[in-house]
Amino acid sequence: MNRHDIALIGFGGVNRALAQIIHERADELTDQLGFALRVVAITDLRLGSLMQADGIDLGEVFAMSPMDTFAGRPGGAAVPQNDFVIRNTTADIVVEATFTNPLDGEPAVSHVRAAIESGKSVATTNKGPVALAGTELNRLAAAHGVTFEYEGSVVSGTPILRFAGETLKGLRVNGVQGILNGTSNYVLGQMESGMTLDDAVAEAQALGYAEADPTADIEGSDVQLKIVILANEILGAQITTADVERRGISEVSAADIIDAAARGSRWKLIGSASRDADGNVVATVEPVALPSTHPLASVSGPTNAVSFDTDLLGTVTVSGPGAGRMETAYALLSDIIAIDAHQRSMIGASE
Ligand SMILES: NC(=O)c1ccc[n+]([C@@H]2O[C@H](COP(=O)([O-])OP(=O)(O)OC[C@H]3O[C@@H](n4cnc5c(N)ncnc54)[C@H](O)[C@@H]3O)[C@@H](O)[C@H]2O)c1
Ligand SMILES: N[C@@H](CCO)C(=O)O
């Protein structure tokens, strides 16, 4: 029986949820997928680091008291030691789910680079490395014969990137637009019901939707990273965040929301990227008051939706969870499945 050993870098909401899936559904997953999963390393800013080549008892980790760290356990230390753990773990897959840094993607870019350089495949939900160093990291992974997967970096567990990359093959996609941030969409909905922006953001944080610094959700830099990923992956662009004009929902007041509702409209934070007449990709992030007849107007709460403008099919819209710990952990599981399939195809090709 094939098995993948996993190192979890960052042990917050998303990676904890992945560990929970692995812990609670081990036998079912093995039967369904044809391979077993085992966690052999964990690092976290607060907990420190833990490396156990025979497999970490996740039940024990979940039972740790909130103030406890990994110090004193076999293979444990009070500090994360990310680079050491990533390079020396016996894991064949590194799962990176630390904070997204929208400025330079660090330290996650270095985490991904270290994993690839030491021959490990990577799954990440962290938008920083994908949006800000995706081309370099994909090339590095190809050069090392490993796989870099990042389905959860856009629209959480809803498989937008694989849908566009595999299912829409043969079509020309000329543009993509959508609601790409669960927190801001949730907040706008709560504000429609009379809640203040600050209270709605606090709720989104408690529900696990918001970034560690929710300014990224409210001011649009989270969507800016996601639209860079979509433009580069789907439209074949080579844009950076500097190419994406950005405005966030802090510009939308409670009065604007009431006015829009009176006119039958709803405010949404829309990210879009499309080719202009010269073939250049133009990308923006901005709040827009959509008429109720618009397909994106009815998308509520942390749900996201992405519309692909195609030549042969017209507009194709996919909608699903855009944030949430367990929903995003599923994206990581889908990446691990893709890594397994890629490894099997490499073995098959060499036989
Ligand atoms: N929560 C969601 O809905 C969601 C959806 C899609 C993508 N993401 C992305 O997934 C990642 C994880 O999200 P989350 O909700 O689990 O965040 P979180 O804040 O709950 O957890 C992040 C964890 O990483 C740890 N960490 C941060 N920097 C570290 C470092 N240098 N070394 C070791 N540990 C470090 C923190 O201590 C924390 O426990 C983020 O990049 C986020 O943008 C989250
Ligand atoms: N904070 C992000 C998480 C998903 O990337 C959101 O609310 O959409």
Side-chain angles (χ1 to χ4, degrees):
M1 170 64 65
N2 192 14
R3 188 187 66 221
H4 292 291
D5 281 354
I6 310 288
L8 301 173
I9 307 304
F11 201 57
V14 172
N15 259 351
R16 259 178 199 273
L18 177 64
Q20 197 183 331
I21 295 171
I22 292 171
H23 184 56
E24 291 173 0
R25 300 181 56 184
D27 293 343
E28 187 186 338
L29 285 175
T30 306
D31 287 348
Q32 197 187 350
L33 304 176
F35 60 83
L37 288 171
R38 191 170 72 164
V39 175
V40 296
I42 301 175
T43 73
D44 188 79
L45 275 186
R46 202 194 61 71
L47 294 165
S49 60
L50 187 62
M51 272 207 289
Q52 294 180 349
D54 291 336
I56 292 170
D57 182 336
L58 292 172
E60 269 185 21
V61 172
F62 291 135
M64 284 169 68
S65 77
M67 299 314 289
D68 210 355
T69 74
F70 292 137
R73 290 167 192 267
V79 287
Q81 299 180 310
N82 292 312
D83 192 67
F84 177 82
V85 170
I86 291 169
R87 290 183 191 276
N88 292 288
T89 173
T90 50
D92 61 311
I93 300 177
V94 170
V95 178
E96 216 290 354
T98 64
F99 304 141
T100 288
N101 173 346
L103 298 179
D104 63 7
E106 291 293 2
V109 173
S110 298
H111 296 161
V112 176
R113 201 181 284 128
I116 294 172
E117 282 171 355
S118 53
K120 287 141 191 147
S121 290
V122 176
T124 190
T125 54
N126 193 321
K127 290 139 267 189
V130 190
L132 305 173
T135 306
E136 176 219 323
L137 295 171
N138 271 309
R139 279 201 196 118
L140 195 65
H144 284 80
V146 297
T147 312
F148 179 37
E149 296 287 338
Y150 36 83
E151 183 61 63
S153 62
V154 185
V155 192
S156 176
T158 308
I160 290 297
L161 296 177
R162 271 187 207 107
F163 175 76
E166 292 169 15
T167 314
L168 298 186
K169 263 186 190 152
L171 293 169
R172 278 188 207 139
V173 181
N174 295 315
V176 52
Q177 71 160 340
I179 294 171
L180 299 169
N181 182 270
T183 300
S184 58
N185 207 45
Y186 178 84
V187 166
L188 287 170
Q190 294 300 80
M191 288 175 73
E192 284 170 349
S193 310
M195 193 178 275
T196 65
L197 182 125
D198 287 349
D199 286 351
V201 170
E203 275 194 1
Q205 286 177 302
L207 290 163
Y209 307 149
E211 295 303 299
D213 176 0
T215 316
D217 299 294
I218 301 310
E219 298 300 349
S221 57
D222 178 77
V223 178
Q224 196 177 30
L225 293 172
K226 289 167 175 168
I227 208 70
V228 166
I229 297 171
L230 290 176
N232 293 349
E233 290 278 322
I234 297 168
L235 302 182
Q238 290 200 319
I239 62 169
T240 69
T241 47
D243 300 311
V244 184
E245 218 175 281
R246 165 176 67 88
R247 289 165 43 221
I249 66 163
S250 61
E251 291 185 8
V252 183
S253 67
D256 293 332
I257 287 173
I258 293 165
D259 281 357
R263 286 181 281 111
S265 298
R266 296 185 84 190
W267 282 94
K268 298 287 170 191
L269 184 63
I270 301 294
S272 72
S274 58
R275 284 204 187 83
D276 66 14
D278 299 325
N280 299 317
V281 170
V282 180
T284 57
V285 178
E286 59 183 351
V288 181
L290 297 177
S292 58
T293 49
H294 192 285
L296 297 179
S298 58
V299 175
S300 296
T303 303
N304 284 186
V306 183
S307 296
F308 300 91
D309 171 22
T310 76
D311 60 342
L312 303 180
L313 274 182
T315 301
V316 180
T317 301
V318 178
S319 169
R325 300 175 181 111
M326 198 49 86
E327 294 82 348
T328 311
Y330 171 70
L332 292 171
L333 180 62
S334 77
D335 284 344
I336 291 168
I337 295 168
I339 291 168
D340 177 77
H342 184 250
Q343 287 179 358
R344 283 177 202 242
S345 72
M346 301 279 279
I347 293 166
S350 68
E351 280 171 356

